[in-house]
Amino acid sequence: MSSSNDNLFGLHTQALDLWQRRSEVLASNLANADTPGYLARDVNFKQALASASGQSDGLAMTITQPGQINPQAQAATQLAYRVPTQPTMDGNTVDAQTEQANFAANGVHYQASLCFITAQIHMLRTAITGGQ
Amino acid sequence: MSMFKIFDVAGSGMAAQSLRLNTVASNLANADSVSGTPEGAYRAKEPLFSAVQRALGGANNAEGDSSVGVQVKGVTESQADVQARYEPGNPMADGNGYVYGSNVNPIDELVNMISASRSYQNNVEVMNTTKQLMLKTLDLGK
């Protein structure tokens, strides 16, 4: 059942999950806009989605010995640090305007993914009921 | 539903900013208070923020570090010098006729107030947006 779900909704179920996670990170950045020493972070969305959907560019590293660090376990979920445009004296790298813009865009993307899923459900329902 | 964490994070941010507003209010209210001793003079209070990791529900293996709330470490007092004024007629004056005013800088406080209110508004906006997105998610498929 889960594989047919994936086919029906495409990447959007995974994308929803990632948009949600990203909004969490951006909310943390905004909440800590005045915390000294806080470093703003973000999700590398393209890379995370590629690895969530099982397609990544380049050769992946593998484990040959037990006890080696598993590269698959980290790479995708790792958060990146934002490069500050205006360094502050207290070490905080949050730029409230950038975070606000990112948060708004993130919300719209989330809604777009929701719309795609809803459209698919409508299509399926139409197919089941024969358009009645 | 990891979106609930956003409410915690934004809520902690709002709590921290409202505490900052609170200290600004008490600093401004006491800007003109005087004391008979330098030790008793009012000193400007400043909150101390720090980031705190929210590991809720124990599921913090991969995404535990994604939500970071604000913690108020405490309230410190400004170490700037208090100003001494020669006012022999003041009933609070010490033996030499000096009273000691507060070290509150009203301009600093006003700037702090504006900054705190803007940050508070940011957090409110984050909460509103998140709430709308969650409600839309509940309507999925309708």
Side-chain angles (χ1 to χ4, degrees), chain B residues 36-49:
Chain B
T37 59
E39 293 78 30
Y42 182 85
R43 288 170 186 275
K45 296 187 192 309
E46 296 161 352
L48 198 61
F49 294 166

Side-chain angles (χ1 to χ4, degrees), chain A residues 20-21 23-25 27-28 30-32 34-36 38 41 79 100 103 107 110-111 114 117-118 121-122 125, chain B residues 2-3 6 9 17 20 49-51 63 66-70 119 122-123 126 129 133 136-137 140-142:
Chain A
Q20 199 178 78
R21 199 170 120 69
S23 70
E24 206 178 293
V25 176
S28 303
L30 275 172
N32 283 289
D34 296 317
T35 308
Y38 179 84
R41 315 188 76 176
L79 293 175
Q100 263 182 324
F103 191 82
Y110 183 89
Q111 290 195 43
L114 275 184
I117 292 177
T118 309
I121 292 173
H122 274 288
R125 194 175 282 162
Chain B
S2 65
M3 261 187 161
I6 299 178
V9 171
Q17 298 300 340
R20 198 163 151 220
F49 294 166
S50 95
E63 36 199 272
S66 58
S67 65
V68 184
V70 188
S119 297
N122 268 344
N123 282 310
V126 165
T129 309
L133 286 182
K136 280 201 187 247
T137 314
L140 189 64
K142 278 187 186 162

Side-chain angles (χ1 to χ4, degrees), chain A residues 65-86:
Chain A
Q65 299 284 324
Q68 285 180 341
I69 296 171
N70 184 2
Q72 263 84 34
Q74 332 188 321
T77 50
Q78 209 89 355
L79 293 175
Y81 289 95
R82 209 184 283 297
V83 179
T85 49
Q86 300 181 71

Side-chain angles (χ1 to χ4, degrees), chain B residues 43-103:
Chain B
R43 288 170 186 275
K45 296 187 192 309
E46 296 161 352
L48 198 61
F49 294 166
S50 95
V52 60
Q53 303 272 339
R54 302 243 148 187
L56 295 173
N60 57 346
N61 41 10
E63 36 199 272
D65 58 347
S66 58
S67 65
V68 184
V70 188
Q71 190 185 30
V72 179
K73 281 281 185 197
V75 177
T76 58
E77 291 197 324
S78 164
Q79 293 305 307
D81 289 334
V82 295
Q83 46 179 339
R85 289 198 304 269
Y86 185 63
E87 284 183 19
N90 197 315
M92 296 284 280
D94 62 3
N96 299 322
Y98 281 99
V99 292
Y100 299 90
S102 72
N103 63 356

